[in-house]
Amino acid sequence: MVLSELAARLNCAEYKNWVKAGHCLLLLRSCLQGFVGREVLSFHRGLLAAAPGLGPRAVCRGGSRCSPRARQVIKCRNEIMHSSEMKVSSTWLRDFQMKIQNFLNEFKNIPEIVAVYSRIEQLLTSDWAVHIPEEDQRDGCECEMGTYLSESQVNEIEMQLLKEKLQEIYLQAEEQEVLPEELSNRLEVVKEFLRNNEDLRNGLTEDMQKLDSLCLHQKLDSQEPGRQTPDRKA
């Protein structure tokens, strides 16, 4: 890994904010998956017990867990994934922290949430410091108990977020949710970022090739005589 590239990225406060917020959402998603799976299973079992004739087609009509706070967190997630420059301001991060804490407070009786609550809170409020032993300096993300993430750990978090972002762009392209020109612009921003960060670029080659192939296919289709670019979906 090229440490100078990592240091340059982490010297940008807005980029660090983006990685922090994105990492929090990945942690939140992982701890909610088991809970949501159990809740859905329990809900459907209850429906079948009460009305066996409903079968698996029964649909949830709402409940105590469906709240505006869940929609606020989803909105934050979309803002992170759609951030073209992969940067968010400190003001945005403080607002994000408040929304995440309010959301987590509704699930304090869930073991998975309790386990990750302090980790997310500390991540959002801590200074970042990556320990680079050979240079005897710190630059990156400080963790609990006075320990520090290594450069490879930070890189792994960045890779996760960038893969999520590329997957988001791919799905938008596949569903034709954005115009080809806008899609091309978003992709070019990511390419420019990766051109300047070889350590990240090398791990995303397959993802970029897959996205490039889809975008090229759609561009050729849009240029065929008699074909029009689909309208943006609402």
Side-chain angles (χ1 to χ4, degrees):
M1 180 184 301
V2 182
L3 295 182
S4 60
E5 294 177 355
L6 173 65
R9 291 196 299 272
L10 296 180
N11 279 334
C12 175
E14 291 82 5
Y15 176 76
K16 267 199 296 192
N17 291 340
W18 183 79
V19 178
K20 273 188 177 184
H23 186 40
C24 285
L25 289 175
L26 292 177
L27 290 173
L28 182 62
R29 183 178 67 183
S30 65
C31 73
L32 284 175
Q33 284 175 339
F35 164 71
V36 171
R38 293 194 305 272
E39 288 289 297
V40 170
L41 183 60
S42 175
F43 174 77
H44 282 283
R45 283 175 175 171
L47 283 180
L48 291 173
L54 287 177
R57 294 176 297 175
V59 178
C60 176
R61 300 299 180 186
S64 61
R65 297 298 184 187
C66 301
S67 72
R69 287 178 181 173
R71 290 193 293 271
Q72 289 178 350
V73 173
I74 292 172
K75 182 175 181 292
C76 288
R77 182 264 176 198
N78 290 337
E79 288 173 349
I80 290 174
M81 287 297 105
H82 297 165
S83 173
S84 60
E85 296 183 347
M86 294 162 284
K87 296 177 182 179
V88 294
S89 68
S90 296
T91 300
W92 187 96
L93 189 67
R94 285 193 295 270
D95 183 61
F96 170 78
Q97 179 180 351
M98 181 182 66
K99 290 174 180 175
I100 286 289
Q101 288 174 336
N102 288 338
F103 177 80
L104 293 176
N105 284 336
E106 295 188 359
F107 295 86
K108 281 190 172 179
N109 61 325
I110 309 302
E112 293 95 326
I113 302 296
V114 173
V116 82
Y117 184 91
S118 61
R119 187 177 177 186
I120 289 178
E121 186 175 36
Q122 187 160 14
L123 174 61
L124 290 172
T125 57
S126 66
D127 292 328
W128 279 46
V130 175
H131 181 47
I132 305 176
E134 58 269 29
E135 297 185 8
D136 195 26
Q137 66 182 24
R138 292 173 178 138
D139 188 0
C141 180
E142 182 180 1
C143 296
E144 61 269 25
M145 306 298 293
T147 60
Y148 293 84
L149 292 180
S150 67
E151 61 272 14
S152 61
Q153 289 172 314
V154 175
N155 184 259
E156 183 179 350
I157 294 170
E158 292 178 291
M159 290 290 293
Q160 278 186 287
L161 293 177
L162 288 167
K163 281 181 176 290
E164 289 270 337
K165 183 176 180 64
L166 290 175
Q167 179 65 16
E168 181 84 4
I169 295 175
Y170 184 89
L171 291 175
Q172 288 181 325
E174 193 173 43
E175 298 296 325
Q176 299 183 342
E177 293 181 353
V178 295
L179 297 173
E181 295 81 4
E182 182 178 347
L183 184 67
S184 178
N185 290 337
R186 291 185 185 181
L187 189 55
E188 186 54 38
V189 171
V190 178
K191 286 182 177 180
E192 179 63 24
F193 175 81
L194 294 178
R195 278 194 287 268
N196 296 325
N197 295 279
E198 181 182 359
D199 57 322
L200 296 174
R201 182 176 69 246
N202 292 337
L204 295 168
T205 302
E206 185 177 343
D207 302 81
M208 291 300 299
Q209 288 175 345
K210 180 181 175 182
L211 188 50
D212 274 332
S213 178
L214 177 62
C215 292
L216 177 60
H217 178 73
Q218 291 189 342
K219 182 178 180 180
L220 292 175
D221 282 350
S222 67
Q223 292 174 348
E224 288 183 9
R227 294 200 57 167
Q228 295 181 346
T229 301
D231 294 333
R232 183 199 302 267
K233 294 184 180 180

Short mmCIF file of all heavy atoms in Angstrom, two decimals, residues 96-143:
data_model
loop_
_atom_site.label_atom_id
_atom_site.label_comp_id
_atom_site.label_asym_id
_atom_site.label_seq_id
_atom_site.Cartn_x
_atom_site.Cartn_y
_atom_site.Cartn_z
N PHE A 96 -25.96 13.82 11.25
CA PHE A 96 -26.02 12.37 11.05
C PHE A 96 -25.89 11.65 12.39
O PHE A 96 -26.62 10.69 12.68
CB PHE A 96 -24.90 11.95 10.10
CG PHE A 96 -24.69 10.47 9.99
CD1 PHE A 96 -25.52 9.69 9.21
CD2 PHE A 96 -23.63 9.87 10.65
CE1 PHE A 96 -25.32 8.32 9.10
CE2 PHE A 96 -23.41 8.50 10.54
CZ PHE A 96 -24.26 7.72 9.76
N GLN A 97 -24.95 12.10 13.22
CA GLN A 97 -24.75 11.48 14.53
C GLN A 97 -26.02 11.55 15.38
O GLN A 97 -26.41 10.57 16.02
CB GLN A 97 -23.60 12.18 15.26
CG GLN A 97 -23.34 11.61 16.66
CD GLN A 97 -22.20 12.31 17.35
OE1 GLN A 97 -21.49 13.12 16.75
NE2 GLN A 97 -22.01 12.02 18.61
N MET A 98 -26.70 12.69 15.35
CA MET A 98 -27.93 12.84 16.13
C MET A 98 -29.02 11.88 15.63
O MET A 98 -29.72 11.24 16.41
CB MET A 98 -28.43 14.29 16.02
CG MET A 98 -29.70 14.57 16.82
SD MET A 98 -30.27 16.26 16.61
CE MET A 98 -30.70 16.25 14.85
N LYS A 99 -29.14 11.76 14.31
CA LYS A 99 -30.15 10.87 13.74
C LYS A 99 -29.85 9.41 14.05
O LYS A 99 -30.76 8.63 14.36
CB LYS A 99 -30.24 11.09 12.23
CG LYS A 99 -30.85 12.43 11.84
CD LYS A 99 -30.79 12.67 10.35
CE LYS A 99 -31.39 14.03 9.98
NZ LYS A 99 -31.25 14.33 8.54
N ILE A 100 -28.58 9.04 13.96
CA ILE A 100 -28.19 7.66 14.28
C ILE A 100 -28.47 7.35 15.75
O ILE A 100 -29.00 6.28 16.09
CB ILE A 100 -26.70 7.44 13.96
CG1 ILE A 100 -26.49 7.35 12.45
CG2 ILE A 100 -26.19 6.17 14.63
CD1 ILE A 100 -27.04 6.08 11.81
N GLN A 101 -28.12 8.27 16.65
CA GLN A 101 -28.34 8.05 18.07
C GLN A 101 -29.83 7.94 18.39
O GLN A 101 -30.24 7.09 19.18
CB GLN A 101 -27.69 9.17 18.88
CG GLN A 101 -26.16 9.09 18.89
CD GLN A 101 -25.52 10.28 19.57
OE1 GLN A 101 -26.10 11.34 19.67
NE2 GLN A 101 -24.30 10.09 20.04
N ASN A 102 -30.64 8.79 17.78
CA ASN A 102 -32.10 8.71 17.98
C ASN A 102 -32.65 7.38 17.49
O ASN A 102 -33.52 6.76 18.12
CB ASN A 102 -32.80 9.85 17.26
CG ASN A 102 -32.57 11.19 17.91
OD1 ASN A 102 -32.24 11.27 19.10
ND2 ASN A 102 -32.72 12.27 17.16
N PHE A 103 -32.12 6.92 16.36
CA PHE A 103 -32.56 5.64 15.80
C PHE A 103 -32.16 4.48 16.72
O PHE A 103 -32.98 3.61 17.03
CB PHE A 103 -31.94 5.46 14.41
CG PHE A 103 -32.25 4.13 13.77
CD1 PHE A 103 -33.48 3.91 13.15
CD2 PHE A 103 -31.32 3.11 13.79
CE1 PHE A 103 -33.76 2.70 12.57
CE2 PHE A 103 -31.60 1.89 13.20
CZ PHE A 103 -32.83 1.68 12.59
N LEU A 104 -30.92 4.50 17.19
CA LEU A 104 -30.44 3.41 18.04
C LEU A 104 -31.16 3.38 19.38
O LEU A 104 -31.33 2.31 19.97
CB LEU A 104 -28.93 3.54 18.25
CG LEU A 104 -28.05 3.32 17.02
CD1 LEU A 104 -26.59 3.58 17.35
CD2 LEU A 104 -28.22 1.91 16.49
N ASN A 105 -31.59 4.54 19.87
CA ASN A 105 -32.30 4.60 21.15
C ASN A 105 -33.61 3.83 21.12
O ASN A 105 -34.12 3.41 22.17
CB ASN A 105 -32.57 6.05 21.54
CG ASN A 105 -31.33 6.75 22.07
OD1 ASN A 105 -30.41 6.11 22.57
ND2 ASN A 105 -31.30 8.07 21.96
N GLU A 106 -34.18 3.63 19.93
CA GLU A 106 -35.43 2.88 19.81
C GLU A 106 -35.21 1.37 19.89
O GLU A 106 -36.17 0.60 19.96
CB GLU A 106 -36.12 3.22 18.48
CG GLU A 106 -36.56 4.66 18.37
CD GLU A 106 -37.39 4.92 17.12
OE1 GLU A 106 -37.60 3.97 16.34
OE2 GLU A 106 -37.83 6.06 16.94
N PHE A 107 -33.95 0.94 19.86
CA PHE A 107 -33.64 -0.48 19.83
C PHE A 107 -32.74 -0.90 20.99
O PHE A 107 -31.99 -1.85 20.87
CB PHE A 107 -32.96 -0.83 18.50
CG PHE A 107 -33.84 -0.65 17.29
CD1 PHE A 107 -33.92 0.58 16.66
CD2 PHE A 107 -34.58 -1.70 16.79
CE1 PHE A 107 -34.72 0.76 15.54
CE2 PHE A 107 -35.39 -1.53 15.67
CZ PHE A 107 -35.46 -0.31 15.05
N LYS A 108 -32.84 -0.20 22.10
CA LYS A 108 -31.93 -0.46 23.21
C LYS A 108 -32.12 -1.85 23.84
O LYS A 108 -31.26 -2.32 24.57
CB LYS A 108 -32.08 0.62 24.29
CG LYS A 108 -31.35 1.91 23.94
CD LYS A 108 -31.33 2.85 25.12
CE LYS A 108 -30.42 4.05 24.84
NZ LYS A 108 -30.39 5.00 25.98
N ASN A 109 -33.28 -2.47 23.58
CA ASN A 109 -33.52 -3.80 24.13
C ASN A 109 -33.06 -4.92 23.21
O ASN A 109 -33.26 -6.10 23.50
CB ASN A 109 -35.02 -3.97 24.42
CG ASN A 109 -35.86 -3.84 23.17
OD1 ASN A 109 -35.53 -3.05 22.28
ND2 ASN A 109 -36.94 -4.61 23.07
N ILE A 110 -32.43 -4.56 22.08
CA ILE A 110 -31.95 -5.55 21.13
C ILE A 110 -30.46 -5.79 21.36
O ILE A 110 -29.65 -4.85 21.26
CB ILE A 110 -32.19 -5.09 19.68
CG1 ILE A 110 -33.64 -4.65 19.49
CG2 ILE A 110 -31.81 -6.19 18.71
CD1 ILE A 110 -34.66 -5.73 19.81
N PRO A 111 -30.05 -7.02 21.71
CA PRO A 111 -28.64 -7.28 22.04
C PRO A 111 -27.67 -6.83 20.97
O PRO A 111 -26.60 -6.28 21.29
CB PRO A 111 -28.61 -8.81 22.21
CG PRO A 111 -30.01 -9.18 22.58
CD PRO A 111 -30.89 -8.22 21.85
N GLU A 112 -27.99 -7.08 19.69
CA GLU A 112 -27.08 -6.70 18.62
C GLU A 112 -26.85 -5.19 18.59
O GLU A 112 -25.76 -4.71 18.30
CB GLU A 112 -27.62 -7.15 17.26
CG GLU A 112 -27.65 -8.66 17.09
CD GLU A 112 -29.01 -9.24 17.43
OE1 GLU A 112 -29.67 -8.70 18.35
OE2 GLU A 112 -29.41 -10.23 16.79
N ILE A 113 -27.91 -4.42 18.87
CA ILE A 113 -27.81 -2.96 18.86
C ILE A 113 -26.97 -2.48 20.03
O ILE A 113 -26.13 -1.59 19.90
CB ILE A 113 -29.20 -2.31 18.90
CG1 ILE A 113 -30.05 -2.79 17.71
CG2 ILE A 113 -29.10 -0.80 18.92
CD1 ILE A 113 -29.51 -2.38 16.38
N VAL A 114 -27.21 -3.06 21.21
CA VAL A 114 -26.46 -2.68 22.40
C VAL A 114 -24.96 -2.91 22.18
O VAL A 114 -24.12 -2.10 22.57
CB VAL A 114 -26.94 -3.48 23.62
CG1 VAL A 114 -26.05 -3.20 24.83
CG2 VAL A 114 -28.39 -3.12 23.94
N ALA A 115 -24.64 -4.02 21.51
CA ALA A 115 -23.24 -4.37 21.29
C ALA A 115 -22.52 -3.37 20.39
O ALA A 115 -21.33 -3.12 20.56
CB ALA A 115 -23.15 -5.77 20.69
N VAL A 116 -23.25 -2.80 19.44
CA VAL A 116 -22.60 -1.91 18.46
C VAL A 116 -22.80 -0.43 18.80
O VAL A 116 -22.13 0.43 18.22
CB VAL A 116 -23.13 -2.20 17.04
CG1 VAL A 116 -24.46 -1.49 16.78
CG2 VAL A 116 -22.11 -1.81 15.98
N TYR A 117 -23.70 -0.14 19.75
CA TYR A 117 -24.05 1.25 20.05
C TYR A 117 -22.83 2.07 20.44
O TYR A 117 -22.56 3.14 19.86
CB TYR A 117 -25.10 1.30 21.17
CG TYR A 117 -25.59 2.69 21.48
CD1 TYR A 117 -26.71 3.21 20.84
CD2 TYR A 117 -24.96 3.49 22.44
CE1 TYR A 117 -27.17 4.49 21.13
CE2 TYR A 117 -25.40 4.76 22.73
CZ TYR A 117 -26.51 5.25 22.07
OH TYR A 117 -26.96 6.52 22.36
N SER A 118 -22.07 1.59 21.43
CA SER A 118 -20.91 2.36 21.91
C SER A 118 -19.83 2.47 20.84
O SER A 118 -19.13 3.48 20.76
CB SER A 118 -20.35 1.74 23.18
OG SER A 118 -19.92 0.41 22.93
N ARG A 119 -19.72 1.43 20.02
CA ARG A 119 -18.71 1.45 18.96
C ARG A 119 -19.02 2.54 17.93
O ARG A 119 -18.12 3.27 17.50
CB ARG A 119 -18.67 0.08 18.28
CG ARG A 119 -17.55 -0.07 17.26
CD ARG A 119 -17.53 -1.47 16.71
NE ARG A 119 -16.51 -1.62 15.67
CZ ARG A 119 -16.36 -2.71 14.93
NH1 ARG A 119 -17.15 -3.74 15.13
NH2 ARG A 119 -15.42 -2.76 14.01
N ILE A 120 -20.29 2.65 17.55
CA ILE A 120 -20.69 3.68 16.60
C ILE A 120 -20.53 5.07 17.21
O ILE A 120 -20.02 5.99 16.57
CB ILE A 120 -22.14 3.46 16.14
CG1 ILE A 120 -22.21 2.22 15.22
CG2 ILE A 120 -22.70 4.69 15.41
CD1 ILE A 120 -23.60 1.88 14.74
N GLU A 121 -20.96 5.21 18.46
CA GLU A 121 -20.87 6.51 19.13
C GLU A 121 -19.42 6.96 19.23
O GLU A 121 -19.09 8.13 18.97
CB GLU A 121 -21.49 6.42 20.52
CG GLU A 121 -21.57 7.75 21.24
CD GLU A 121 -22.30 7.63 22.55
OE1 GLU A 121 -22.14 6.60 23.23
OE2 GLU A 121 -23.02 8.58 22.92
N GLN A 122 -18.53 6.05 19.59
CA GLN A 122 -17.12 6.41 19.74
C GLN A 122 -16.48 6.72 18.39
O GLN A 122 -15.65 7.63 18.28
CB GLN A 122 -16.37 5.29 20.43
CG GLN A 122 -14.93 5.66 20.78
CD GLN A 122 -14.36 4.76 21.85
OE1 GLN A 122 -14.93 3.73 22.15
NE2 GLN A 122 -13.25 5.16 22.43
N LEU A 123 -16.88 5.97 17.38
CA LEU A 123 -16.34 6.22 16.04
C LEU A 123 -16.67 7.63 15.57
O LEU A 123 -15.83 8.32 14.98
CB LEU A 123 -16.89 5.19 15.05
CG LEU A 123 -16.55 5.39 13.58
CD1 LEU A 123 -15.04 5.33 13.36
CD2 LEU A 123 -17.25 4.35 12.72
N LEU A 124 -17.90 8.07 15.83
CA LEU A 124 -18.34 9.38 15.36
C LEU A 124 -17.73 10.53 16.14
O LEU A 124 -17.61 11.65 15.63
CB LEU A 124 -19.87 9.47 15.41
CG LEU A 124 -20.62 8.62 14.39
CD1 LEU A 124 -22.11 8.64 14.67
CD2 LEU A 124 -20.35 9.11 12.98
N THR A 125 -17.33 10.27 17.38
CA THR A 125 -16.83 11.36 18.22
C THR A 125 -15.32 11.36 18.39
O THR A 125 -14.75 12.32 18.92
CB THR A 125 -17.49 11.29 19.62
OG1 THR A 125 -17.21 10.01 20.20
CG2 THR A 125 -18.99 11.49 19.52
N SER A 126 -14.64 10.30 17.95
CA SER A 126 -13.21 10.20 18.20
C SER A 126 -12.40 10.90 17.12
O SER A 126 -12.87 11.14 16.01
CB SER A 126 -12.79 8.72 18.26
OG SER A 126 -12.98 8.12 16.99
N ASP A 127 -11.16 11.24 17.49
CA ASP A 127 -10.19 11.69 16.50
C ASP A 127 -9.68 10.45 15.76
O ASP A 127 -9.70 9.35 16.29
CB ASP A 127 -9.02 12.42 17.16
CG ASP A 127 -9.46 13.73 17.77
OD1 ASP A 127 -10.39 14.35 17.21
OD2 ASP A 127 -8.90 14.11 18.81
N TRP A 128 -9.20 10.69 14.56
CA TRP A 128 -8.70 9.56 13.77
C TRP A 128 -7.19 9.48 13.86
O TRP A 128 -6.50 10.48 13.72
CB TRP A 128 -9.13 9.73 12.31
CG TRP A 128 -10.53 9.31 12.08
CD1 TRP A 128 -11.63 9.62 12.83
CD2 TRP A 128 -11.01 8.47 11.04
NE1 TRP A 128 -12.74 9.04 12.31
CE2 TRP A 128 -12.40 8.33 11.21
CE3 TRP A 128 -10.38 7.84 9.96
CZ2 TRP A 128 -13.20 7.58 10.36
CZ3 TRP A 128 -11.17 7.09 9.10
CH2 TRP A 128 -12.56 6.95 9.31
N ALA A 129 -6.68 8.26 14.05
CA ALA A 129 -5.23 8.09 14.12
C ALA A 129 -4.85 6.67 13.73
O ALA A 129 -5.13 5.73 14.44
CB ALA A 129 -4.72 8.39 15.52
N VAL A 130 -4.26 6.52 12.59
CA VAL A 130 -3.76 5.22 12.15
C VAL A 130 -2.31 5.10 12.56
O VAL A 130 -1.51 5.99 12.30
CB VAL A 130 -3.87 5.08 10.61
CG1 VAL A 130 -3.22 3.77 10.17
CG2 VAL A 130 -5.32 5.11 10.20
N HIS A 131 -1.97 3.99 13.18
CA HIS A 131 -0.59 3.80 13.63
C HIS A 131 0.24 3.22 12.50
O HIS A 131 -0.06 2.14 11.98
CB HIS A 131 -0.57 2.85 14.82
CG HIS A 131 0.80 2.62 15.38
ND1 HIS A 131 1.68 3.65 15.63
CD2 HIS A 131 1.44 1.49 15.73
CE1 HIS A 131 2.80 3.17 16.12
NE2 HIS A 131 2.68 1.84 16.18
N ILE A 132 1.28 3.95 12.10
CA ILE A 132 2.21 3.50 11.07
C ILE A 132 3.55 3.23 11.74
O ILE A 132 4.34 4.16 11.95
CB ILE A 132 2.36 4.56 9.96
CG1 ILE A 132 0.97 4.91 9.39
CG2 ILE A 132 3.27 4.05 8.85
CD1 ILE A 132 1.00 6.00 8.36
N PRO A 133 3.79 1.98 12.17
CA PRO A 133 4.95 1.69 13.02
C PRO A 133 6.28 2.13 12.44
O PRO A 133 7.11 2.70 13.14
CB PRO A 133 4.90 0.16 13.14
CG PRO A 133 3.49 -0.20 12.85
CD PRO A 133 3.01 0.81 11.84
N GLU A 134 6.50 1.90 11.14
CA GLU A 134 7.82 2.19 10.58
C GLU A 134 8.12 3.68 10.57
O GLU A 134 9.27 4.08 10.48
CB GLU A 134 7.93 1.63 9.16
CG GLU A 134 6.89 2.16 8.19
CD GLU A 134 5.65 1.29 8.16
OE1 GLU A 134 5.37 0.66 9.19
OE2 GLU A 134 4.98 1.25 7.11
N GLU A 135 7.08 4.52 10.66
CA GLU A 135 7.30 5.96 10.68
C GLU A 135 7.05 6.54 12.06
O GLU A 135 7.22 7.72 12.29
CB GLU A 135 6.41 6.64 9.64
CG GLU A 135 6.72 6.22 8.21
CD GLU A 135 5.90 6.99 7.21
OE1 GLU A 135 5.23 7.96 7.64
OE2 GLU A 135 5.93 6.66 6.03
N ASP A 136 6.57 5.65 12.99
CA ASP A 136 6.33 6.07 14.36
C ASP A 136 5.45 7.31 14.41
O ASP A 136 5.72 8.26 15.11
CB ASP A 136 7.65 6.33 15.09
CG ASP A 136 7.43 6.41 16.61
OD1 ASP A 136 6.45 5.80 17.08
OD2 ASP A 136 8.20 7.10 17.29
N GLN A 137 4.35 7.27 13.65
CA GLN A 137 3.42 8.39 13.65
C GLN A 137 2.02 7.86 13.51
O GLN A 137 1.79 6.71 13.18
CB GLN A 137 3.72 9.35 12.50
CG GLN A 137 3.46 8.75 11.12
CD GLN A 137 3.82 9.72 10.02
OE1 GLN A 137 4.62 10.61 10.19
NE2 GLN A 137 3.20 9.55 8.87
N ARG A 138 1.04 8.72 13.78
CA ARG A 138 -0.34 8.31 13.72
C ARG A 138 -1.09 9.22 12.76
O ARG A 138 -0.92 10.42 12.77
CB ARG A 138 -0.99 8.34 15.10
CG ARG A 138 -0.41 7.28 16.03
CD ARG A 138 -0.94 7.45 17.45
NE ARG A 138 -0.41 6.40 18.29
CZ ARG A 138 0.03 6.59 19.52
NH1 ARG A 138 0.02 7.78 20.04
NH2 ARG A 138 0.48 5.59 20.24
N ASP A 139 -1.91 8.59 11.96
CA ASP A 139 -2.70 9.36 11.01
C ASP A 139 -3.85 8.48 10.54
O ASP A 139 -3.66 7.55 9.80
CB ASP A 139 -1.84 9.76 9.81
CG ASP A 139 -2.57 10.73 8.90
OD1 ASP A 139 -3.73 11.08 9.21
OD2 ASP A 139 -2.00 11.12 7.89
N GLY A 140 -5.05 8.72 11.03
CA GLY A 140 -6.16 7.88 10.62
C GLY A 140 -7.26 7.79 11.64
O GLY A 140 -7.76 8.78 12.09
N CYS A 141 -7.63 6.60 12.06
CA CYS A 141 -8.80 6.42 12.90
C CYS A 141 -8.46 5.83 14.25
O CYS A 141 -8.03 4.68 14.34
CB CYS A 141 -9.80 5.51 12.18
SG CYS A 141 -11.29 5.21 13.14
N GLU A 142 -8.69 6.60 15.30
CA GLU A 142 -8.41 6.14 16.65
C GLU A 142 -9.57 5.30 17.14
O GLU A 142 -10.73 5.65 16.98
CB GLU A 142 -8.22 7.34 17.58
CG GLU A 142 -7.86 6.96 19.00
CD GLU A 142 -7.67 8.17 19.88
OE1 GLU A 142 -7.83 9.29 19.39
OE2 GLU A 142 -7.36 7.98 21.07
N CYS A 143 -9.26 4.18 17.77
CA CYS A 143 -10.30 3.27 18.25
C CYS A 143 -10.34 3.27 19.77
O CYS A 143 -9.56 3.93 20.44
CB CYS A 143 -10.04 1.86 17.73
SG CYS A 143 -10.15 1.76 15.95
#
